[in-house]
């Protein structure tokens, strides 16, 4: 049995670091595990311009202890009013790495999202030209569409068109949760990739609904049937270039989750690598973990892989029931469970 695994330091290609006290409480958990992270712009108000992204990047760096080797990769939140020239400038000035498409009202703080994707053609054209990656929250938001069908319908109605119309645009279908998502990414060209969260590899929708309603297993896109989880596990552990690590760690206070209308989001940052590596171990695919966690993402984004190494070892650790985020209790993914691996260096 493999007892330890040493790989290049991984990056997180999708994380919510929040702002203010919560940022101060959670950022270090990501910085301990990852060298870089694509930071989501869904603050309130959202980060919609190069200037706002530059300021947010400074707040993230300031929230970490001096000398922490962590690079936030910034994103701009697309709206109906996004200025294509501002995005191009943000990329040229080294501020922006990607822009994020939230269909309006898809999820937490997305009320400013895009109401008609068709109107974004000039924005996508400028991004294609500038080499700015498009990160996509792939769910339709019409009230009549069942929440479990929203990803597949988005792919069919919107994503396939974007990819067809802008063949040079790099597109990441984020936090994929369905077999349809896996199949779409696999069938598309090399400019299309997908990120996969730890929770969608570990749980299906029963985890949310059997034996009582479990708000800490609720995130968006929502976990689906077992057949989808199995497709995601196969995609993540297969060693290919198209699927890579993106935690979608999305902290909310314990109170905001345990409510009559609980927030969507799972806080997985503190044990993200331990959670992922356990899946690779269970699938007998530890040899592919470095590709998923540390190599495929940088290759897709056109960035060098990290040169420093981290080691995970087989050792049990119990995940705490709550984690203090600068005075706010947050319940982590796997709370109260025993994980079989530990990050040692
Ligand atoms: C995210 C959040 O809380 O910001 N929630 C989530 O369930 N993933 C928003 C998002 O990425 O959808
Ligand atoms: Zn997210």
């Amino acid at each position: 049995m493999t007892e330890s695994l040493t790989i290049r330091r991984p990056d997180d290609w999708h994380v919510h670091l929040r702002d203010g006290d919560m940022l101060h409480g959670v950022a270090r958990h990501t910085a301990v595990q990852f060298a870089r992270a694509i930071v989501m712009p869904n603050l309130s108000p959202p980060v919609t311009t190069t200037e706002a992204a530059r300021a947010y990047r400074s707040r993230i760096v300031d929230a970490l202890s001096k000398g922490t080797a962590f690079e936030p990769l910034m994103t701009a939140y697309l709206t109906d009013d996004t200025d294509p020239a501002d995005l191009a400038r943000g990329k040229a000035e080294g501020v922006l790495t990607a822009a994020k498409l939230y269909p309006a009202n898809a999820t937490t703080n997305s009320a400013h999202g895009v109401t008609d994707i068709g109107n974004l053609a000039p924005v996508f054209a400028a991004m294609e030209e500038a080499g700015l990656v498009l990160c996509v929250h792939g769910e339709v938001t019409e009230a009549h569409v069942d929440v479990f069908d929203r990803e597949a319908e988005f792919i069919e109605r919107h994503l396939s068109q974007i990819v067809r119309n802008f063949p040079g645009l790099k597109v990441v279908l984020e936090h994929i949760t369905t077999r349809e998502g896996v199949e779409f990414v696999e069938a598309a060209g090399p400019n299309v990739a997908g990120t996969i969260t730890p929770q969608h590899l570990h749980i299906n929708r029963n985890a949310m609904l059997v034996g009582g309603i479990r708000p800490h297993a609720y995130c968006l896109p929502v976990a689906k049937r077992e057949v989808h989880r199995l497709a995601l596990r196969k995609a993540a552990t297969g060693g290919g270039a198209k699927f890579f690590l993106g935690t979608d760690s999305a902290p909310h206070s314990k109170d905001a989750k345990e409510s009559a209308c609980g927030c969507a989001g799972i806080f997985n940052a503190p044990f993200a690598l331990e959670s992922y590596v356990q899946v690779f171990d269970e699938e007998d695919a530890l040899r592919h973990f470095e590709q998923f966690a540390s190599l495929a993402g940088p290759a897709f984004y056109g960035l060098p892989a990290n040169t420093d190494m981290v080691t995970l070892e087989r050792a049990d650790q119990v995940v705490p029931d709550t984690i203090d985020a600068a005075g706010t209790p947050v319940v982590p993914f796997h709370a109260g469970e025993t994980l079989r691996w530990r990050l040692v260096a």
Side-chain angles (χ1 to χ4, degrees):
M1 218 169 18
T2 312
E3 295 305 324
S4 85
L5 187 65
T6 298
I7 60 170
R8 287 174 188 251
R9 183 173 290 280
D11 305 297
D12 183 352
W13 300 97
H14 179 135
V15 69
H16 300 267
L17 295 180
R18 311 303 193 203
D19 212 346
D21 287 349
M22 187 64 100
L23 168 63
H24 283 259
V26 302
R28 73 186 169 83
H29 292 290
T30 291
V32 161
Q33 299 225 330
F34 300 105
R36 297 169 289 200
I38 287 277
V39 181
M40 288 296 118
N42 65 329
L43 305 181
S44 183
V47 177
T48 54
T49 63
T50 295
E51 276 328 293
R54 199 193 300 274
Y56 184 32
R57 183 171 66 183
S58 305
R59 297 200 296 282
I60 295 166
V61 171
D62 290 348
L64 294 165
S65 321
K66 262 210 163 41
T68 305
F70 173 73
E71 185 184 2
L73 303 173
M74 306 311 291
T75 62
Y77 183 116
L78 297 179
T79 71
D80 292 340
D81 305 317
T82 297
D83 174 8
D86 179 58
L87 295 187
R89 194 162 46 241
K91 167 73 180 171
E93 292 176 5
V95 177
L96 296 179
T97 301
K100 170 79 185 216
L101 172 62
Y102 283 107
N105 304 314
T107 184
T108 311
N109 293 336
S110 65
H112 302 265
V114 172
T115 54
D116 184 350
I117 294 173
N119 291 341
L120 282 182
V123 170
F124 294 155
M127 290 176 63
E128 185 176 35
E129 168 85 28
L132 202 56
V133 172
L134 176 67
C135 293
V136 180
H137 184 112
E139 290 190 287
V140 297
T141 54
E142 288 93 339
H144 66 87
V145 183
D146 190 280
V147 71
F148 292 100
D149 297 335
R150 289 179 173 202
E151 181 173 292
E153 196 151 332
F154 182 90
I155 292 167
E156 197 181 311
R157 276 170 47 201
H158 300 295
L159 191 58
S160 49
Q161 279 196 35
I162 297 173
V163 166
R164 196 176 327 116
N165 294 345
F166 301 93
L169 180 64
K170 286 190 190 179
V171 179
V172 180
L173 180 56
E174 303 188 278
H175 41 52
I176 55 175
T177 62
T178 57
R179 187 171 57 187
E180 289 85 346
V182 170
E183 287 169 356
F184 178 83
V185 169
E186 280 174 343
N191 281 351
V192 179
T195 57
I196 306 180
T197 76
Q199 57 265 24
H200 293 111
L201 296 171
H202 278 277
I203 63 173
N204 62 33
R205 63 195 194 176
N206 282 12
M208 239 175 355
L209 298 168
V210 171
I213 189 151
R214 314 219 181 234
H216 299 292
Y218 173 58
C219 66
L220 287 170
V222 72
K224 309 291 191 303
R225 287 177 180 275
E226 179 67 357
V227 61
H228 298 291
R229 186 182 76 99
L230 296 179
L232 295 169
R233 283 172 80 103
K234 195 157 169 248
T237 60
K242 305 206 92 191
F243 300 99
F244 46 85
L245 186 159
T247 63
D248 196 16
S249 181
H252 292 277
S253 71
K254 186 169 188 283
D255 285 353
K257 295 282 296 173
E258 296 175 8
S259 142
C261 184
C263 291
I266 293 179
F267 179 49
N268 59 33
F271 301 93
L273 290 174
E274 292 90 334
S275 178
Y276 277 117
V277 78
Q278 188 162 315
V279 171
F280 281 71
D281 192 11
E282 288 162 5
E283 296 290 330
D284 198 15
L286 287 174
R287 67 196 179 282
H288 291 153
F289 188 54
E290 185 176 41
Q291 167 71 3
F292 176 78
S294 315
L295 301 177
F300 181 83
Y301 272 84
L303 295 169
N306 299 309
T307 50
D308 61 324
M309 311 296 279
V310 298
T311 297
L312 289 141
E313 69 179 20
R314 193 185 296 279
D316 285 2
Q317 62 175 326
V318 178
V319 175
D321 291 334
T322 59
I323 286 181
D324 175 69
T328 302
V330 181
V331 176
F333 186 44
H334 299 297
E337 294 172 24
T338 300
L339 289 172
R340 302 295 173 204
W341 288 78
R342 194 173 55 174
L343 180 64
V344 284

